[in-house]
Amino acid sequence: MKLFVLIIFCLSAYTVMAQRECLSQQYYEQELRANPALAKKLAELDAAARQLKETATSGTTGISSGTPVIVIPVVVHILYNSPSLNIGDAQVQSQIDVLNRDYRRLNTDTVSTPLVFRQRAADCYIEFKLAKVDPRGRATSGIVRKSTGIQFFGLDDRIKSSAVGGDDAWDADRYLNIWVGSLAGNLLGYSSVVGCTKDKDGVVIAYRAFGTSGTASAPYDKGRTVTHEIGHWLGLRHIWGDQYCGNDYIDDTPPQQTSSYGCPQGTITSCGNNPSGNMYMNYMDLTYDACTNLFTIGQREKMRSLFAEGAPRNALLYSDACTATPIEGPAEASLPEQENEDAVKVFPNPATKQVTISVNDQNLSGKYITLYNRMGQPVGKTLIAKNVSVFNVQHLPQGMYFARVEGQTKAYKVLKVAD
Ligand code: ZN
Ligand code: CA
């Protein structure tokens, strides 16, 4: 009897060890409890997405040969507490390469998608590139490396804050932030909630589940954890809806009793989803990396809907983080950290006619603020009076500008757009 109990214990312990852990749903519930306003915002976003779907031409998938590919600029923040975890550029690039295969259905394992699901498998027309310019307009590799005293990060988002051993997010309207570090327990990753504040926006990934080389460790060494978490970041739910036979609100993914583990084979039916059975090879299940291989057309449409005008990821379409010519000067990572970050506010931003810069710091009254173009050339200069400066930008060409207070090193971006 004792032996039997011991065997059962070992078996269940083994199951826990072998199980992929994505805590995006737990994180989502934690954030909603802490911030009821976010729940309201999410309900509005869902309603807007449904509206968009209803107004879309029926019978089309929204993709044609002329559909532009969405290119998402990426910054990878590496937080390492031992030199071996300061992962190399090649490993970072291996992850970007996986994303570009998986989101374009150029992955080599499409043949493993069961015939019954192949018609639904989608090229999402989404690509990823490491950023070429940092938030201050300077040249960057798109990789920030930072030593940390933190042994393990968890769902508390410390990894996203320089003040507590992590690294601050780059502007989420211009970059997808990916934080890579040591995560507690079996946690492989989690995504922020769509619609959250910009300082939390992005995905967090365990170094053992990032890329296909170096610290990546089987069975999570094919980069699919990041494919999965970015799916959440683009509004996708787990395929089983995080409930018994739950709903992921995607029409062409079958209902499924619960998450899949390991590497299932053959047709497994649940929740009346025969004859097709569970789509356990979908990136939004929890199957091993080597055993997932598709997003569906429905998932693609959901993800791409987030880039529509007024939708939460629309601003990324206008990001110049991969295309801008860097201005001269040291990159973000090598500059000393600034205090009083919130002392200066720029609005509206983007601007069309005028931009107002408010300075909540008496010491700066009477100083000049200069506006520079991307080449670092001054295009305007005004005195801070009554804590406010106003620039007329109507005559300026569209694009990115930077405002800098006399005597300070920090620059504030100003995006000029057409009327
Ligand atoms: Zn997940
Ligand atoms: Ca479904």
Side-chain angles (χ1 to χ4, degrees):
M1 187 60 195
K2 265 185 188 161
L3 181 65
F4 178 72
V5 171
L6 188 66
I7 288 170
I8 293 290
F9 173 76
C10 290
L11 280 176
S12 55
Y14 179 76
T15 310
V16 169
M17 285 303 290
Q19 182 169 317
R20 174 190 285 275
E21 203 169 81
C22 163
L23 291 185
S24 288
Q25 181 63 20
Q26 284 81 345
Y27 177 81
Y28 175 93
E29 286 162 11
Q30 163 193 305
E31 292 301 288
L32 258 52
R33 273 195 302 274
N35 184 1
L38 186 58
K40 189 165 172 274
K41 194 169 168 186
L42 281 172
E44 287 166 8
L45 288 172
D46 273 349
R50 275 198 300 277
Q51 184 87 32
L52 196 76
K53 200 173 164 189
E54 277 160 20
T55 52
T57 320
S58 61
T60 66
T61 61
I63 292 281
S64 64
S65 56
T67 301
V69 171
I70 294 170
V71 179
I72 301 179
V74 174
V75 54
V76 177
H77 308 259
I78 298 168
L79 284 306
Y80 61 94
N81 53 41
S82 84
S84 62
L85 301 185
N86 186 9
I87 61 179
D89 290 2
Q91 187 178 345
V92 174
Q93 190 57 49
S94 76
Q95 180 61 62
I96 301 294
D97 293 344
V98 167
L99 292 171
N100 286 326
R101 289 195 292 265
D102 289 352
Y103 280 81
R104 293 303 316 270
R105 196 150 175 80
L106 296 170
N107 43 311
T108 53
D109 48 3
T110 57
V111 289
S112 305
T113 305
L115 279 174
V116 64
F117 295 136
R118 263 186 222 176
Q119 291 280 316
R120 303 180 210 178
D123 172 354
C124 298
Y125 276 59
I126 296 174
E127 293 179 2
F128 301 83
K129 270 202 182 114
L130 288 168
K132 294 268 195 302
V133 296
D134 73 10
R136 298 156 50 91
R138 280 157 171 142
T140 177
S141 61
I143 304 171
V144 180
R145 301 167 181 287
K146 210 165 172 183
S147 163
T148 178
I150 307 280
Q151 197 83 30
F152 297 107
F153 291 100
L155 290 188
D156 55 10
D157 280 337
R158 271 196 304 185
I159 200 167
K160 303 175 183 174
S161 171
S162 300
V164 289
D167 193 44
D168 288 343
W170 287 11
D171 183 355
D173 284 342
R174 298 180 66 206
Y175 307 88
L176 158 57
N177 289 278
I178 302 179
W179 287 272
V180 182
S182 277
L183 304 188
N186 291 325
L187 179 57
L188 293 186
Y190 67 96
S191 166
S192 60
V193 179
V194 174
C196 71
T197 54
K198 288 211 255 178
D199 58 329
K200 292 185 168 188
D201 198 304
V203 300
V204 177
I205 309 293
Y207 66 85
R208 65 190 175 101
F210 185 82
T212 61
S213 58
T215 60
S217 160
Y220 306 115
D221 58 347
K222 308 273 181 232
R224 258 72 193 251
T225 298
V226 186
T227 301
H228 173 106
E229 295 304 335
I230 291 176
H232 286 310
W233 182 78
L234 290 172
L236 297 186
R237 291 172 168 87
H238 285 137
I239 194 163
W240 71 98
D242 291 291
Q243 286 177 34
Y244 184 90
C245 296
N247 193 348
D248 65 352
Y249 301 95
I250 302 292
D251 294 341
D252 60 0
T253 56
Q256 183 172 311
Q257 184 174 317
T258 184
S259 55
S260 307
Y261 297 116
C263 197
Q265 300 290 322
T267 304
I268 302 168
T269 57
S270 64
C271 314
N273 67 10
N274 42 310
S276 73
N278 297 351
M279 194 186 270
Y280 53 73
M281 72 301 301
N282 191 283
Y283 295 129
M284 298 315 290
D285 205 336
L286 297 185
T287 319
Y288 286 164
D289 277 17
C291 308
T292 58
N293 50 56
L294 87 149
F295 284 122
T296 66
I297 290 167
Q299 288 174 320
R300 170 182 74 198
E301 297 306 294
K302 169 68 190 182
M303 290 193 278
R304 289 183 63 94
S305 75
L306 266 64
F307 294 88
E309 205 173 322
R313 303 278 177 229
N314 178 257
L316 283 168
L317 297 181
Y318 304 98
S319 172
D320 63 351
C322 290
T323 53
T325 307
I327 56 175
E328 307 246 313
E332 173 93 342
S334 55
L335 284 165
E337 300 204 358
Q338 298 300 306
E339 289 175 15
N340 299 327
E341 282 221 16
D342 294 320
V344 177
K345 288 200 166 58
V346 178
F347 58 92
N349 201 4
T352 54
K353 295 187 173 68
Q354 278 192 340
V355 61
T356 301
I357 300 176
S358 79
V359 181
N360 185 23
D361 182 346
Q362 292 303 330
N363 298 328
L364 300 180
S365 196
K367 296 203 169 178
Y368 281 99
I369 296 184
T370 307
L371 191 64
Y372 298 90
N373 66 15
R374 204 187 275 154
M375 311 299 291
Q377 298 156 331
V379 295
K381 189 174 183 180
T382 94
L383 202 62
I384 301 170
K386 290 184 179 155
N387 296 341
V388 164
S389 285
V390 179
F391 284 102
N392 182 358
V393 295
Q394 195 165 18
H395 62 289
L396 294 175
Q398 291 179 51
M400 192 64 72
Y401 293 82
F402 300 89
R404 185 170 289 138
V405 181
E406 183 189 351
Q408 291 206 328
T409 47
K410 188 172 169 72
Y412 298 87
K413 73 174 174 89
V414 178
L415 184 61
K416 159 69 198 279
V417 294
D419 269 328

